[in-house]
Amino acid sequence: MSANKTLDGRSFGQKLMSGAFIYTLISIVLGFGVGAVALLAAGYNPLEAYGSLFSVIFSSTKNMSYSFIEFATPYILTGLSVAFSFKTGMFNIGAEGQYVMGSIAALLVGIFVKLPGFLLIPLCILASIVVGALWGGLVGFLKVRFGSHEVLCMIMFNWIAYYFSNYIVNLPGVNFGGGKTWSLLIQDQAKITISHWFGKNVVSNYTHFGIFIAILCVILMYYIINKTTFGFKLKAVGSNRSCAEYAGIDANRCVILSLAISGALAGLAGGLQVLGVTYKINQFAAQESYGFNGITVALIGACNPFGVLLGGWFFGAMKFAGTRMKMMDGTRVPKEIINIIMGCIVLAIAMSNLLRMAVVRRETKGGKV
């Protein structure tokens, strides 16, 4: 075997170009390129703007904790939620509603259950996981029992969760009172914030240990998908349901479990956000889009668990920097530039499938990359 060939007979260049990682990098570069054009059109210097952006992220440990813990944690988990369903052939556009339902569950337990912290915190987290799993699994049940389209069901479930949250927030005994549009705060012993251990000048005010839970979920998802029989069955159903059923796999069960696990991850994201950052729930004027942004994170991470972790950190850092980015002369760059960059990245990733198909076709014809 030639030194520049891998075990499957392809060159390292061919293997690299057939993978998702290189296309993600190219897509990110294209996204920043389009963003630079938009900045120029708006009269800003792209080099100064991007310099300011990355300076904001890495200028202090406090800003890094904002970027990679406080902002990133919910995106990592909702990204995992979407990626898990993608791996099994399902499109979980309902992560937004599952996130909201998980946050409601954590809030109610955190307000009303009187327990010491070492019991209350796990109970709040468990409540968010269970409620998120039920919200996602219910869609799976409707699909396999009645043939309902999962995407349409999830869109409707998102709005049900949205208005249900507003209903809960305004209930007597849950509402803060005095005409306020937010709930009571959770008990102090339910909070998972750890910033007081380091000092608020070192890390953000809402640095919490949820990031370690998110990383643990990344590892567990990788193990389940790639190292277990259950993960093999899920991928088999996602690849070809008919063949999976012919091989004796219970496809309906896999669909329900896939959406339940996906919902559990999104629900966990909502619960951790309440326990570690907001401590309450506000009445919604619009959807917060944590679940919808999870789709972006999953695409950036190529639906690979560790890729999603990096994608969540990247997305969280961009979101944080977009709120703080300033030019050298003190003029604030419009935060919408971040949305332009992220939108272009997602579009480029979606289009990269066409390029990947062209590369594979060329390889089959004996061409060189």
Side-chain angles (χ1 to χ4, degrees):
M1 183 176 66
S2 174
N4 65 342
K5 296 282 187 179
T6 58
L7 292 176
D8 57 7
R10 293 182 297 172
S11 70
F12 288 107
Q14 289 174 327
K15 191 168 185 178
L16 181 65
M17 289 303 294
S18 64
F21 179 71
I22 187 65
Y23 295 103
T24 300
L25 289 181
I26 293 172
S27 299
I28 291 174
V29 171
L30 287 174
F32 277 100
V34 174
V37 173
L39 285 168
L40 283 172
Y44 297 104
N45 185 320
L47 294 179
E48 291 181 355
Y50 288 157
S52 176
L53 186 151
F54 289 106
S55 175
V56 165
I57 297 171
F58 297 104
S59 61
S60 66
T61 56
K62 186 173 184 177
N63 283 1
M64 291 174 67
S65 69
Y66 271 120
S67 300
F68 303 118
I69 298 178
E70 182 181 329
F71 274 67
T73 299
Y75 295 126
I76 293 171
L77 287 168
T78 56
L80 285 176
S81 172
V82 175
F84 189 87
S85 63
F86 274 164
K87 284 287 188 182
T88 55
M90 306 296 293
F91 181 30
N92 183 19
I93 200 173
E96 183 72 16
Q98 296 150 13
Y99 172 95
V100 171
M101 294 301 292
S103 66
I104 294 172
L107 175 81
L108 295 178
V109 174
I111 291 174
F112 295 112
V113 178
K114 308 300 181 183
L115 288 173
F118 72 93
L119 293 175
L120 183 57
I121 289 174
L123 185 60
C124 291
I125 292 174
L126 180 62
S128 66
I129 291 172
V130 170
V131 172
L134 290 173
W135 204 246
L138 181 56
V139 174
F141 172 77
L142 292 174
K143 178 178 177 62
V144 302
R145 180 67 177 83
F146 302 104
S148 303
H149 197 289
E150 70 275 12
V151 173
L152 296 178
C153 285
M154 287 177 180
I155 292 173
M156 295 300 101
F157 272 47
N158 286 342
W159 285 108
I160 293 171
Y162 173 91
Y163 288 111
F164 181 68
S165 177
N166 285 352
Y167 170 76
I168 293 294
V169 166
N170 287 289
L171 282 176
V174 178
N175 185 265
F176 190 82
K180 303 299 183 182
T181 58
W182 55 81
S183 71
L184 294 170
L185 299 178
I186 62 174
Q187 303 169 72
D188 287 342
Q189 58 266 35
K191 297 176 182 178
I192 61 174
T193 309
I194 57 175
S195 56
H196 58 277
W197 293 357
F198 303 95
K200 294 184 178 181
N201 292 325
V202 178
V203 296
S204 73
N205 295 345
Y206 301 104
T207 296
H208 58 87
F209 64 71
I211 186 63
F212 301 112
I213 298 176
I215 293 174
L216 177 61
C217 289
V218 168
I219 297 171
L220 286 175
M221 177 177 163
Y222 177 83
Y223 180 79
I224 290 171
I225 290 293
N226 296 287
K227 304 296 182 179
T228 67
T229 303
F230 175 61
F232 175 81
K233 290 179 179 179
L234 292 177
K235 289 189 293 184
V237 172
S239 298
N240 192 315
R241 179 166 179 160
S242 298
C243 288
E245 289 177 335
Y246 184 77
I249 296 174
D250 187 344
N252 288 341
R253 179 175 179 269
C254 288
V255 167
I256 295 175
L257 288 176
S258 170
L259 291 178
I261 293 172
S262 186
L265 290 166
L268 175 61
L272 293 179
Q273 192 73 356
V274 168
L275 300 179
V277 178
T278 64
Y279 307 144
K280 65 181 186 300
I281 294 179
N282 293 307
Q283 178 177 310
F284 289 125
Q287 292 184 351
E288 294 182 310
S289 295
Y290 282 105
F292 295 127
N293 287 330
I295 299 173
T296 301
V297 173
L299 290 174
I300 292 174
C303 293
N304 179 289
F306 293 102
V308 169
L309 176 63
L310 297 177
W313 277 334
F314 173 72
F315 194 89
M318 292 290 287
K319 280 290 186 181
F320 168 69
T323 65
R324 305 291 179 90
M325 187 170 60
K326 293 183 178 180
M327 298 295 289
M328 292 183 178
D329 61 358
T331 302
R332 182 178 292 276
V333 176
K335 64 180 181 179
E336 288 76 16
I337 191 64
I338 300 300
N339 294 330
I340 292 174
I341 292 172
M342 301 308 296
C344 291
I345 290 173
V346 172
L347 180 62
I349 289 173
M351 294 176 63
S352 68
N353 287 326
L354 298 176
L355 180 58
R356 189 180 297 114
M357 289 171 60
V359 170
V360 172
R361 182 177 300 176
R362 186 177 180 184
E363 287 180 3
T364 60
K365 292 182 178 179
K368 296 182 179 180
V369 179

